[in-house]
Amino acid sequence: MAHGVDGFVDITAPIDEVATALESAVTGWSDGDAGSEPVVGSSQVARLDLMAGDVGLSEREHQVLGLIAQGCTNREIAEQLFIGVNTVKTNIRSIYSKIGATNRATAVA
């Protein structure tokens, strides 16, 4: 797939399916394999790629959003990215504004 993405797990997938996909991805990376098969169709992948390009998230905003998707708190995000909590909050506000989200759940969805 494009942009170094090997697959997606649908947002409505059961938690055990998400866990299996993550385990498969980690195992694939450690073995030098491509990882798991995509869980959504190519039209959805194309739509997600288009959406990511259209909203114009910066590299840092992509990192912050990814950590939000992993369930990290603002403090955990700040520690992982070596930035201040207020900077994390600024990035989150910018992400929300760009993608039309009102909270973490809608931003990740």
Coordinates of all heavy atoms in Angstrom, one line a residue:
M1 N 0.8 -1.2 0.0 CA 0.0 0.0 0.0 C 0.9 1.2 0.0 O 2.0 1.2 0.4 CB -0.9 0.0 1.2 CG -2.0 -1.0 1.2 SD -3.1 -0.7 2.5 CE -4.2 -2.0 2.2
A2 N 0.3 2.4 -0.3 CA 1.0 3.6 -0.4 C 1.4 4.1 1.0 O 0.7 3.8 2.0 CB 0.1 4.7 -1.1
H3 N 2.3 5.0 1.1 CA 2.7 5.7 2.3 C 3.2 4.8 3.4 O 3.1 5.2 4.6 CB 1.6 6.6 2.8 CG 1.0 7.5 1.7 ND1 1.7 8.6 1.2 CD2 -0.1 7.5 1.0 CE1 1.0 9.1 0.3 NE2 -0.1 8.5 0.2
G4 N 3.7 3.6 3.1 CA 4.2 2.8 4.1 C 3.2 2.1 5.0 O 3.5 1.6 6.1
V5 N 1.9 2.1 4.6 CA 0.9 1.5 5.3 C 0.6 0.1 4.8 O 0.5 -0.1 3.6 CB -0.4 2.4 5.2 CG1 -1.6 1.7 6.0 CG2 -0.2 3.8 5.8
D6 N 0.6 -0.8 5.7 CA 0.3 -2.2 5.3 C -1.1 -2.6 5.5 O -1.5 -3.6 5.0 CB 1.2 -3.2 6.2 CG 2.7 -3.0 5.9 OD1 3.0 -2.8 4.7 OD2 3.5 -3.0 6.8
G7 N -1.9 -1.9 6.2 CA -3.3 -2.2 6.4 C -4.0 -1.3 7.4 O -3.3 -0.5 8.1
F8 N -5.3 -1.5 7.5 CA -6.1 -0.7 8.4 C -7.0 -1.6 9.2 O -7.4 -2.7 8.6 CB -6.9 0.4 7.7 CG -6.1 1.5 7.2 CD1 -5.7 1.5 5.8 CD2 -5.9 2.6 7.9 CE1 -5.0 2.5 5.3 CE2 -5.1 3.7 7.4 CZ -4.7 3.6 6.1
V9 N -7.4 -1.3 10.4 CA -8.4 -1.9 11.1 C -9.6 -1.0 11.2 O -9.4 0.2 11.6 CB -7.9 -2.4 12.5 CG1 -9.1 -3.0 13.3 CG2 -6.7 -3.3 12.4
D10 N -10.7 -1.4 10.8 CA -11.9 -0.6 10.8 C -12.2 -0.1 12.2 O -12.0 -0.8 13.2 CB -13.1 -1.4 10.3 CG -14.4 -0.5 10.1 OD1 -14.8 0.1 11.0 OD2 -14.9 -0.5 8.9
I11 N -12.6 1.1 12.4 CA -12.9 1.7 13.7 C -13.9 1.0 14.5 O -14.0 1.0 15.7 CB -13.3 3.2 13.5 CG1 -13.2 4.0 14.9 CG2 -14.6 3.4 12.9 CD1 -11.9 4.2 15.4
T12 N -14.8 0.2 13.8 CA -15.9 -0.5 14.5 C -15.4 -1.9 14.8 O -16.3 -2.7 15.3 CB -17.1 -0.5 13.6 OG1 -16.9 -1.2 12.4 CG2 -17.7 0.9 13.4
A13 N -14.2 -2.3 14.5 CA -13.7 -3.7 14.7 C -13.7 -4.0 16.2 O -13.4 -3.1 17.0 CB -12.4 -3.8 14.1
P14 N -14.0 -5.2 16.6 CA -14.0 -5.6 18.0 C -12.5 -5.5 18.5 O -11.6 -5.7 17.7 CB -14.4 -7.1 17.9 CG -15.0 -7.3 16.6 CD -14.5 -6.3 15.7
I15 N -12.4 -5.3 19.8 CA -11.1 -5.1 20.4 C -10.1 -6.3 20.1 O -8.9 -6.1 19.9 CB -11.2 -4.8 21.9 CG1 -9.9 -4.3 22.4 CG2 -11.7 -6.0 22.7 CD1 -9.4 -2.9 21.9
D16 N -10.7 -7.5 20.1 CA -9.8 -8.7 19.9 C -9.2 -8.7 18.5 O -8.1 -9.0 18.2 CB -10.5 -10.0 20.2 CG -11.7 -10.2 19.3 OD1 -12.5 -9.2 19.0 OD2 -12.0 -11.4 19.0
E17 N -10.0 -8.1 17.5 CA -9.5 -8.0 16.1 C -8.4 -7.0 16.0 O -7.4 -7.1 15.3 CB -10.7 -7.7 15.2 CG -10.3 -7.7 13.7 CD -11.5 -7.4 12.8 OE1 -12.6 -8.1 13.1 OE2 -11.4 -6.6 11.9
V18 N -8.6 -5.9 16.8 CA -7.6 -4.8 16.8 C -6.3 -5.4 17.4 O -5.2 -5.2 16.9 CB -8.1 -3.6 17.6 CG1 -7.0 -2.5 17.8 CG2 -9.3 -3.0 16.9
A19 N -6.4 -6.1 18.5 CA -5.3 -6.7 19.2 C -4.5 -7.6 18.3 O -3.3 -7.6 18.2 CB -5.7 -7.4 20.5
T20 N -5.3 -8.5 17.6 CA -4.7 -9.4 16.6 C -3.9 -8.7 15.5 O -2.8 -9.1 15.1 CB -5.8 -10.4 16.0 OG1 -6.4 -11.0 17.1 CG2 -5.2 -11.3 15.1
A21 N -4.5 -7.7 15.0 CA -3.9 -6.9 13.9 C -2.6 -6.2 14.4 O -1.6 -6.2 13.7 CB -4.9 -5.8 13.4
L22 N -2.6 -5.7 15.6 CA -1.4 -5.1 16.2 C -0.3 -6.1 16.4 O 0.8 -5.9 16.1 CB -1.8 -4.3 17.5 CG -2.6 -3.1 17.3 CD1 -3.0 -2.6 18.7 CD2 -1.8 -2.0 16.6
E23 N -0.7 -7.2 16.9 CA 0.3 -8.3 17.2 C 0.9 -8.8 15.8 O 2.1 -9.0 15.7 CB -0.4 -9.5 17.9 CG -0.7 -9.2 19.3 CD -1.5 -10.4 19.9 OE1 -1.6 -11.5 19.3 OE2 -2.0 -10.2 21.1
S24 N 0.1 -8.9 14.8 CA 0.5 -9.3 13.5 C 1.5 -8.3 12.9 O 2.5 -8.6 12.3 CB -0.7 -9.5 12.6 OG -0.2 -9.8 11.3
A25 N 1.1 -7.0 13.1 CA 2.0 -5.9 12.6 C 3.3 -5.9 13.3 O 4.4 -5.8 12.6 CB 1.3 -4.6 12.7
V26 N 3.3 -6.1 14.6 CA 4.6 -6.1 15.4 C 5.4 -7.3 15.0 O 6.6 -7.2 14.8 CB 4.3 -6.0 16.9 CG1 5.6 -6.3 17.7 CG2 3.7 -4.7 17.3
T27 N 4.8 -8.4 14.9 CA 5.5 -9.6 14.5 C 6.1 -9.5 13.1 O 7.2 -9.9 12.8 CB 4.6 -10.9 14.5 OG1 4.0 -11.0 15.9 CG2 5.3 -12.1 14.2
G28 N 5.3 -8.9 12.2 CA 5.7 -8.7 10.8 C 6.9 -7.8 10.8 O 7.9 -8.1 10.0
W29 N 6.9 -6.7 11.5 CA 8.0 -5.8 11.5 C 9.3 -6.4 12.1 O 10.3 -6.3 11.5 CB 7.7 -4.6 12.4 CG 6.6 -3.7 11.8 CD1 6.4 -3.5 10.5 CD2 5.7 -2.9 12.5 NE1 5.3 -2.7 10.3 CE2 4.9 -2.2 11.5 CE3 5.5 -2.6 13.8 CZ2 3.9 -1.3 11.9 CZ3 4.5 -1.7 14.2 CH2 3.7 -1.1 13.2
S30 N 9.2 -7.2 13.1 CA 10.3 -7.8 13.7 C 10.9 -8.9 12.8 O 12.1 -9.2 12.8 CB 10.0 -8.4 15.1 OG 9.1 -9.5 15.0
D31 N 10.1 -9.5 12.0 CA 10.5 -10.6 11.0 C 10.9 -10.0 9.7 O 11.3 -10.7 8.8 CB 9.4 -11.6 10.8 CG 9.1 -12.4 12.0 OD1 9.9 -12.4 13.0 OD2 8.0 -13.0 12.1
G32 N 10.7 -8.7 9.5 CA 11.0 -8.0 8.2 C 9.9 -8.3 7.2 O 10.1 -8.0 6.0
D33 N 8.8 -8.8 7.6 CA 7.7 -9.0 6.8 C 6.8 -7.8 6.6 O 7.0 -6.8 7.4 CB 6.8 -10.2 7.4 CG 5.7 -10.6 6.4 OD1 5.8 -10.4 5.2 OD2 4.8 -11.3 6.9
A34 N 5.9 -7.8 5.7 CA 5.1 -6.6 5.4 C 4.0 -6.4 6.5 O 3.4 -5.3 6.6 CB 4.4 -6.7 4.1
G35 N 3.7 -7.4 7.3 CA 2.7 -7.3 8.3 C 1.4 -7.9 7.9 O 1.4 -8.8 7.1
S36 N 0.3 -7.5 8.4 CA -1.0 -8.1 8.2 C -1.6 -7.7 6.9 O -1.2 -6.6 6.4 CB -1.9 -7.9 9.4 OG -2.1 -6.5 9.5
E37 N -2.6 -8.4 6.5 CA -3.4 -8.0 5.3 C -4.3 -6.8 5.7 O -4.7 -6.7 6.8 CB -4.2 -9.2 4.8 CG -3.4 -10.3 4.2 CD -2.7 -9.8 3.0 OE1 -3.3 -9.1 2.1 OE2 -1.5 -10.1 2.9
P38 N -4.6 -6.0 4.7 CA -5.5 -4.9 5.0 C -6.9 -5.4 5.5 O -7.4 -6.4 5.0 CB -5.7 -4.2 3.7 CG -4.5 -4.6 2.9 CD -4.1 -6.0 3.4
V39 N -7.5 -4.7 6.4 CA -8.8 -5.1 6.9 C -9.9 -4.3 6.2 O -11.1 -4.8 6.1 CB -8.9 -4.9 8.4 CG1 -10.2 -5.3 9.0 CG2 -7.8 -5.7 9.1
V40 N -9.6 -3.2 5.6 CA -10.6 -2.5 4.8 C -10.2 -2.5 3.3 O -9.1 -2.8 3.0 CB -10.8 -1.0 5.3 CG1 -11.2 -1.0 6.7 CG2 -9.5 -0.2 5.1
G41 N -11.2 -2.2 2.5 CA -11.0 -2.2 1.1 C -10.1 -1.1 0.5 O -9.9 -0.1 1.2
S42 N -9.6 -1.2 -0.7 CA -8.8 -0.2 -1.3 C -9.5 1.2 -1.5 O -8.8 2.2 -1.4 CB -8.2 -0.7 -2.6 OG -9.3 -0.9 -3.5
S43 N -10.8 1.1 -1.7 CA -11.5 2.4 -1.8 C -11.5 3.2 -0.5 O -11.3 4.4 -0.5 CB -12.9 2.2 -2.3 OG -13.6 1.5 -1.3
Q44 N -11.6 2.5 0.6 CA -11.5 3.1 1.9 C -10.1 3.6 2.2 O -9.9 4.7 2.8 CB -11.9 2.2 3.0 CG -13.4 1.9 3.0 CD -13.8 0.8 3.9 OE1 -13.3 -0.3 3.8 NE2 -14.7 1.0 4.8
V45 N -9.1 2.9 1.8 CA -7.7 3.3 2.0 C -7.4 4.6 1.2 O -6.8 5.5 1.6 CB -6.7 2.2 1.6 CG1 -5.3 2.7 1.5 CG2 -6.8 1.0 2.5
A46 N -7.9 4.6 -0.1 CA -7.7 5.8 -0.9 C -8.4 7.0 -0.3 O -7.9 8.1 -0.3 CB -8.3 5.5 -2.3
R47 N -9.6 6.7 0.3 CA -10.3 7.8 0.9 C -9.6 8.3 2.1 O -9.4 9.6 2.3 CB -11.7 7.4 1.3 CG -12.6 8.5 1.9 CD -14.0 8.0 2.2 NE -14.1 6.9 3.0 CZ -14.1 6.9 4.4 NH1 -14.0 8.1 5.0 NH2 -14.2 5.9 5.1
L48 N -9.0 7.5 2.9 CA -8.2 7.9 4.1 C -6.9 8.6 3.6 O -6.6 9.6 4.2 CB -7.8 6.7 4.9 CG -8.9 6.0 5.7 CD1 -8.5 4.7 6.3 CD2 -9.5 6.9 6.7
D49 N -6.3 8.2 2.6 CA -5.1 8.9 2.1 C -5.5 10.3 1.6 O -4.8 11.3 1.9 CB -4.4 8.1 0.9 CG -3.6 6.9 1.4 OD1 -3.3 6.9 2.6 OD2 -3.3 6.1 0.6
L50 N -6.6 10.4 0.9 CA -7.1 11.6 0.4 C -7.4 12.6 1.5 O -7.1 13.7 1.5 CB -8.3 11.4 -0.5 CG -8.9 12.7 -1.1 CD1 -7.9 13.4 -2.0 CD2 -10.1 12.3 -1.9
M51 N -8.1 12.0 2.5 CA -8.5 12.9 3.7 C -7.2 13.4 4.4 O -7.2 14.6 4.8 CB -9.3 12.0 4.7 CG -10.7 11.8 4.2 SD -11.7 10.6 5.2 CE -11.5 11.3 6.8
A52 N -6.2 12.6 4.6 CA -5.0 13.0 5.3 C -4.3 14.1 4.5 O -3.8 15.0 5.1 CB -4.1 11.8 5.5
G53 N -4.3 14.0 3.2 CA -3.7 15.0 2.4 C -4.5 16.3 2.3 O -3.9 17.4 2.3
D54 N -5.8 16.2 2.3 CA -6.7 17.3 2.2 C -6.6 18.2 3.5 O -6.7 19.4 3.4 CB -8.1 16.9 2.0 CG -8.3 16.5 0.5 OD1 -7.4 16.7 -0.3 OD2 -9.4 15.9 0.2
V55 N -6.5 17.6 4.6 CA -6.6 18.4 5.8 C -5.3 19.1 6.2 O -5.3 20.0 6.9 CB -7.1 17.6 7.1 CG1 -8.5 17.1 6.8 CG2 -6.1 16.5 7.4
G56 N -4.2 18.7 5.6 CA -2.9 19.3 5.7 C -2.3 19.2 7.1 O -1.7 20.2 7.6
L57 N -2.4 18.1 7.8 CA -1.8 17.9 9.1 C -0.3 17.9 8.9 O 0.2 17.3 8.0 CB -2.2 16.6 9.7 CG -3.7 16.4 10.1 CD1 -3.9 15.0 10.8 CD2 -4.1 17.5 11.0
S58 N 0.4 18.6 9.9 CA 1.8 18.6 9.9 C 2.3 17.2 10.3 O 1.6 16.4 10.9 CB 2.3 19.7 10.8 OG 2.1 19.3 12.1
E59 N 3.6 17.0 10.2 CA 4.2 15.8 10.7 C 4.0 15.6 12.2 O 3.6 14.5 12.6 CB 5.7 15.8 10.4 CG 6.5 14.7 11.0 CD 6.9 13.6 10.1 OE1 6.8 13.8 8.8 OE2 7.2 12.5 10.5
R60 N 4.2 16.7 12.9 CA 4.0 16.6 14.4 C 2.5 16.3 14.7 O 2.2 15.5 15.6 CB 4.4 17.9 15.0 CG 4.2 18.0 16.5 CD 5.0 17.0 17.3 NE 6.3 17.5 17.4 CZ 7.4 16.8 17.8 NH1 7.3 15.5 18.1 NH2 8.6 17.4 17.8
E61 N 1.6 16.9 14.0 CA 0.2 16.7 14.2 C -0.2 15.2 13.9 O -1.0 14.6 14.6 CB -0.7 17.6 13.4 CG -0.6 19.1 13.9 CD -1.2 20.1 12.9 OE1 -1.3 19.8 11.7 OE2 -1.4 21.2 13.3
H62 N 0.4 14.6 12.9 CA 0.2 13.2 12.6 C 0.7 12.4 13.8 O 0.1 11.4 14.2 CB 1.0 12.8 11.3 CG 0.2 13.1 10.1 ND1 -0.9 12.3 9.7 CD2 0.4 14.0 9.1 CE1 -1.3 12.8 8.5 NE2 -0.6 13.8 8.2
Q63 N 1.9 12.7 14.3 CA 2.5 12.0 15.5 C 1.5 12.1 16.7 O 1.2 11.1 17.3 CB 3.8 12.6 15.8 CG 4.9 12.3 14.8 CD 6.2 13.1 15.1 OE1 6.2 14.1 15.7 NE2 7.3 12.5 14.6
V64 N 1.1 13.3 17.0 CA 0.2 13.5 18.1 C -1.1 12.7 17.9 O -1.6 12.0 18.8 CB -0.1 15.0 18.3 CG1 -1.3 15.2 19.3 CG2 1.1 15.8 18.8
L65 N -1.7 12.8 16.7 CA -3.0 12.1 16.4 C -2.7 10.5 16.6 O -3.6 9.8 17.1 CB -3.5 12.4 15.1 CG -4.9 11.8 14.7 CD1 -5.9 12.2 15.7 CD2 -5.3 12.3 13.3
G66 N -1.6 10.1 16.1 CA -1.3 8.6 16.2 C -1.2 8.2 17.7 O -1.7 7.2 18.1
L67 N -0.6 9.1 18.5 CA -0.5 8.7 20.0 C -1.9 8.9 20.7 O -2.2 8.1 21.6 CB 0.5 9.6 20.6 CG 2.0 9.3 20.2 CD1 2.9 10.4 20.7 CD2 2.4 8.0 20.7
I68 N -2.7 9.8 20.2 CA -4.1 9.9 20.7 C -4.8 8.6 20.4 O -5.5 8.0 21.2 CB -4.8 11.1 20.1 CG1 -4.3 12.4 20.7 CG2 -6.3 11.0 20.4 CD1 -4.8 13.6 20.0
A69 N -4.6 8.1 19.2 CA -5.3 6.8 18.7 C -4.8 5.7 19.6 O -5.5 4.7 19.8 CB -5.0 6.6 17.3
Q70 N -3.6 5.7 20.1 CA -3.1 4.7 21.0 C -3.6 4.8 22.4 O -3.3 3.9 23.2 CB -1.5 4.7 21.0 CG -0.9 4.3 19.6 CD 0.6 4.4 19.6 OE1 1.2 4.3 20.7 NE2 1.2 4.7 18.5
G71 N -4.3 5.9 22.7 CA -4.8 6.1 24.0 C -4.0 6.8 25.0 O -4.2 6.8 26.2
C72 N -2.9 7.5 24.4 CA -2.0 8.2 25.3 C -2.7 9.5 25.8 O -3.4 10.2 25.2 CB -0.8 8.6 24.5 SG 0.3 7.2 24.0
T73 N -2.3 9.9 27.1 CA -2.7 11.1 27.6 C -1.9 12.3 27.1 O -0.8 12.0 26.5 CB -2.6 11.1 29.2 OG1 -1.2 11.0 29.5 CG2 -3.4 10.0 29.8
N74 N -2.3 13.5 27.3 CA -1.4 14.6 26.9 C 0.0 14.6 27.5 O 1.0 14.8 26.8 CB -2.1 16.0 27.3 CG -3.3 16.2 26.5 OD1 -3.7 15.5 25.6 ND2 -4.0 17.3 26.8
R75 N 0.1 14.2 28.8 CA 1.4 14.1 29.4 C 2.2 13.0 28.8 O 3.4 13.2 28.5 CB 1.2 13.8 30.9 CG 2.5 13.8 31.7 CD 2.3 13.6 33.2 NE 1.5 14.6 33.8 CZ 1.9 15.8 34.1 NH1 3.1 16.2 33.9 NH2 1.0 16.7 34.7
E76 N 1.6 11.9 28.5 CA 2.4 10.8 27.8 C 2.8 11.2 26.4 O 3.9 10.9 26.0 CB 1.5 9.5 27.8 CG 1.2 8.9 29.1 CD 0.1 7.8 29.1 OE1 -0.7 7.9 28.2 OE2 0.2 7.0 30.0
I77 N 2.0 11.9 25.7 CA 2.4 12.4 24.4 C 3.5 13.3 24.5 O 4.5 13.2 23.7 CB 1.2 13.1 23.7 CG1 0.1 12.0 23.4 CG2 1.6 13.8 22.4 CD1 -1.3 12.6 22.9
A78 N 3.5 14.2 25.4 CA 4.5 15.2 25.7 C 5.8 14.5 26.0 O 6.9 14.8 25.4 CB 4.2 16.2 26.8
E79 N 5.8 13.5 26.8 CA 7.0 12.8 27.2 C 7.6 12.0 26.0 O 8.8 12.0 25.8 CB 6.7 11.8 28.3 CG 6.5 12.5 29.6 CD 5.9 11.6 30.7 OE1 5.8 10.4 30.5 OE2 5.7 12.1 31.9
Q80 N 6.7 11.4 25.2 CA 7.2 10.6 24.1 C 7.8 11.5 23.0 O 8.7 11.0 22.3 CB 6.1 9.7 23.5 CG 5.7 8.5 24.4 CD 4.8 7.5 23.8 OE1 4.9 7.3 22.6 NE2 4.0 7.0 24.5
L81 N 7.2 12.6 22.8 CA 7.7 13.5 21.7 C 8.7 14.6 22.2 O 9.1 15.4 21.4 CB 6.5 14.2 21.0 CG 5.5 13.2 20.4 CD1 4.3 14.0 19.8 CD2 6.2 12.4 19.3
F82 N 9.0 14.6 23.5 CA 9.9 15.5 24.1 C 9.5 17.0 23.8 O 10.2 17.8 23.4 CB 11.3 15.3 23.6 CG 11.8 13.9 23.8 CD1 11.9 13.0 22.8 CD2 12.2 13.5 25.1 CE1 12.3 11.7 23.0 CE2 12.7 12.2 25.3 CZ 12.7 11.3 24.2
I83 N 8.2 17.2 24.1 CA 7.6 18.6 24.0 C 6.8 18.8 25.2 O 6.5 17.9 26.0 CB 6.7 18.7 22.7 CG1 5.6 17.7 22.7 CG2 7.6 18.6 21.4 CD1 4.6 17.8 21.5
G84 N 6.4 20.1 25.4 CA 5.6 20.4 26.6 C 4.1 20.1 26.4 O 3.6 19.9 25.3
V85 N 3.4 19.9 27.5 CA 2.0 19.6 27.5 C 1.2 20.6 26.8 O 0.3 20.3 26.1 CB 1.5 19.3 29.0 CG1 0.0 19.1 29.0 CG2 2.2 18.1 29.6
N86 N 1.6 21.9 27.0 CA 0.9 23.0 26.3 C 1.0 22.9 24.8 O 0.1 23.2 24.1 CB 1.3 24.4 26.9 CG 0.7 24.6 28.2 OD1 -0.3 24.1 28.6 ND2 1.4 25.5 29.0
T87 N 2.2 22.5 24.4 CA 2.4 22.3 22.9 C 1.5 21.2 22.4 O 1.0 21.3 21.3 CB 3.9 22.0 22.7 OG1 4.7 23.1 23.2 CG2 4.2 21.8 21.2
V88 N 1.4 20.1 23.2 CA 0.5 19.0 22.8 C -0.9 19.5 22.7 O -1.6 19.3 21.7 CB 0.5 17.9 23.9 CG1 -0.5 16.8 23.6 CG2 1.9 17.2 23.9
K89 N -1.4 20.3 23.6 CA -2.7 20.9 23.6 C -2.9 21.8 22.4 O -4.0 21.7 21.7 CB -3.0 21.7 24.9 CG -3.1 20.8 26.1 CD -3.3 21.7 27.4 CE -3.4 20.8 28.6 NZ -3.5 21.6 29.8
T90 N -1.9 22.6 22.0 CA -2.0 23.4 20.8 C -2.1 22.5 19.6 O -2.9 22.9 18.7 CB -0.7 24.3 20.7 OG1 -0.7 25.1 21.9 CG2 -0.7 25.1 19.5
N91 N -1.3 21.5 19.5 CA -1.4 20.6 18.4 C -2.8 19.9 18.3 O -3.3 19.8 17.2 CB -0.3 19.5 18.5 CG 1.0 20.0 18.0 OD1 1.3 20.0 16.8 ND2 1.9 20.3 18.9
I92 N -3.3 19.5 19.4 CA -4.6 18.9 19.4 C -5.7 19.9 18.9 O -6.5 19.5 18.1 CB -5.0 18.3 20.8 CG1 -4.0 17.1 21.1 CG2 -6.4 17.9 20.9 CD1 -4.1 16.6 22.5
R93 N -5.6 21.1 19.4 CA -6.6 22.1 18.9 C -6.5 22.3 17.4 O -7.5 22.4 16.7 CB -6.4 23.4 19.7 CG -7.0 23.5 21.0 CD -7.0 24.9 21.6 NE -5.7 25.5 21.7 CZ -4.9 25.4 22.8 NH1 -5.2 24.6 23.8 NH2 -3.7 25.9 22.8
S94 N -5.3 22.3 16.9 CA -5.0 22.5 15.5 C -5.6 21.3 14.7 O -6.2 21.5 13.7 CB -3.5 22.7 15.2 OG -3.3 22.8 13.8
I95 N -5.4 20.1 15.2 CA -5.9 18.9 14.6 C -7.4 19.0 14.5 O -8.0 18.7 13.5 CB -5.4 17.6 15.3 CG1 -3.9 17.4 15.2 CG2 -6.2 16.4 14.9 CD1 -3.3 16.4 16.1
Y96 N -8.0 19.3 15.7 CA -9.5 19.3 15.7 C -10.0 20.3 14.7 O -11.0 20.1 14.0 CB -10.0 19.8 17.1 CG -9.8 18.7 18.2 CD1 -9.3 17.5 18.0 CD2 -10.2 19.1 19.5 CE1 -9.2 16.6 19.0 CE2 -10.1 18.1 20.5 CZ -9.6 16.9 20.3 OH -9.5 16.0 21.3
S97 N -9.4 21.5 14.6 CA -9.8 22.5 13.7 C -9.7 22.0 12.3 O -10.6 22.3 11.4 CB -8.9 23.8 13.9 OG -9.2 24.7 12.9
K98 N -8.6 21.4 11.9 CA -8.3 21.0 10.5 C -9.3 19.8 10.1 O -9.6 19.8 8.9 CB -6.9 20.5 10.4 CG -5.9 21.7 10.4 CD -4.5 21.2 10.2 CE -3.5 22.4 10.3 NZ -2.1 21.9 10.1
I99 N -9.6 18.9 11.0 CA -10.4 17.8 10.6 C -11.9 17.9 11.1 O -12.7 17.0 10.8 CB -9.8 16.5 11.1 CG1 -9.8 16.4 12.6 CG2 -8.4 16.3 10.6 CD1 -9.3 15.0 13.2
G100 N -12.2 19.0 11.7 CA -13.6 19.2 12.2 C -14.0 18.3 13.3 O -15.2 18.0 13.4
A101 N -13.1 17.9 14.2 CA -13.4 17.1 15.3 C -13.7 17.9 16.5 O -13.2 19.1 16.6 CB -12.2 16.2 15.6
T102 N -14.4 17.4 17.5 CA -14.7 18.1 18.7 C -14.1 17.4 20.0 O -14.1 18.0 21.0 CB -16.2 18.2 18.9 OG1 -16.8 16.9 18.9 CG2 -16.8 19.1 17.8
N103 N -13.6 16.2 19.8 CA -13.0 15.4 20.9 C -12.1 14.4 20.3 O -12.0 14.2 19.1 CB -14.1 14.9 21.8 CG -15.0 13.9 21.1 OD1 -14.6 13.1 20.3 ND2 -16.3 14.1 21.3
R104 N -11.4 13.7 21.2 CA -10.4 12.6 20.8 C -11.1 11.5 20.0 O -10.5 11.1 19.0 CB -9.7 12.1 22.0 CG -8.8 13.0 22.7 CD -8.2 12.5 24.0 NE -7.3 13.4 24.5 CZ -5.9 13.3 24.6 NH1 -5.4 12.2 24.1 NH2 -5.2 14.2 25.1
A105 N -12.2 11.1 20.4 CA -12.9 10.0 19.7 C -13.2 10.3 18.3 O -13.0 9.5 17.4 CB -14.2 9.6 20.5
T106 N -13.8 11.5 18.1 CA -14.1 11.9 16.7 C -12.8 12.2 15.9 O -12.8 12.0 14.7 CB -15.0 13.1 16.7 OG1 -14.5 14.2 17.4 CG2 -16.4 12.8 17.2
A107 N -11.8 12.7 16.5 CA -10.5 12.9 15.8 C -9.9 11.6 15.3 O -9.5 11.5 14.2 CB -9.5 13.6 16.7
V108 N -10.0 10.6 16.2 CA -9.4 9.3 15.8 C -10.3 8.6 14.7 O -9.8 8.0 13.8 CB -9.2 8.4 17.0 CG1 -8.8 7.0 16.6 CG2 -8.1 9.0 17.9
A109 N -11.6 8.7 14.9 CA -12.5 8.1 14.0 C -12.3 8.7 12.6 O -12.4 8.1 11.6 CB -14.0 8.3 14.4

